[in-house]
Amino acid sequence: MQTAAELAQPLSERALSKLKWRCRRGLLENDLFIARFFERHESHMTVGQAGAMETLMDLSDNDLLDLLLRRKEPEPAWAGAEVVELLQLMRTDGAQRPSTSVSASVSSSSPS
């Protein structure tokens, strides 16, 4: 188990790259929430936030979307404080208007 100090460490470039690859989803709606989150927070993501993101990525696309759209709340059995905090950030960012770069990056990653 990692200490609070270890969880607060900045995420390395390599770990961030691997995490972004892991976060690719089958539903465009999920991709939009995730892209907006990374646009605003990737430069200061922590190891703890990355672990929370991994937990969310273990969910099915529909379960993740339900959480992001507040149709349901995370279950305490699997969602610790880091997951709840990350989910709140993703919900807030997803509700905001995307910048041009998010729209462009999602468009270019969608199959033609």
Side-chain angles (χ1 to χ4, degrees):
M1 180 158 217
Q2 294 178 310
T3 67
E6 291 170 332
L7 292 174
Q9 291 294 314
L11 197 61
S12 71
E13 280 291 320
R14 179 172 165 80
L16 178 63
S17 178
K18 290 171 95 172
L19 180 63
K20 287 173 86 173
W21 180 259
R22 167 82 165 86
C23 289
R24 294 176 40 178
R25 304 302 293 198
L27 288 176
L28 176 61
E29 293 85 350
N30 286 338
D31 281 337
L32 291 172
F33 274 94
I34 293 166
R36 290 174 191 162
F37 171 80
F38 277 122
E39 179 185 70
R40 292 179 177 93
H41 301 284
E42 73 178 71
S43 64
H44 53 273
M45 269 194 86
T46 65
V47 171
Q49 287 174 322
M53 183 69 83
E54 288 282 351
T55 299
L56 290 175
M57 293 305 108
D58 286 341
L59 299 171
S60 72
D61 280 340
N62 290 330
D63 287 341
L64 178 59
L65 185 60
D66 285 345
L67 287 170
L68 292 170
L69 294 176
R70 292 182 172 90
R71 292 180 189 155
K72 66 180 185 179
E73 293 300 319
E75 297 175 25
W78 57 264
E82 288 274 350
V83 171
V84 172
E85 288 173 24
L86 179 74
L87 184 57
Q88 185 56 44
L89 277 176
M90 293 177 77
R91 286 171 167 175
T92 301
D93 293 340
Q96 296 175 3
R97 243 190 134 86
S99 73
T100 314
S101 63
V102 169
S103 300
S105 69
V106 170
S107 303
S108 64
S109 66
S110 298
S112 301

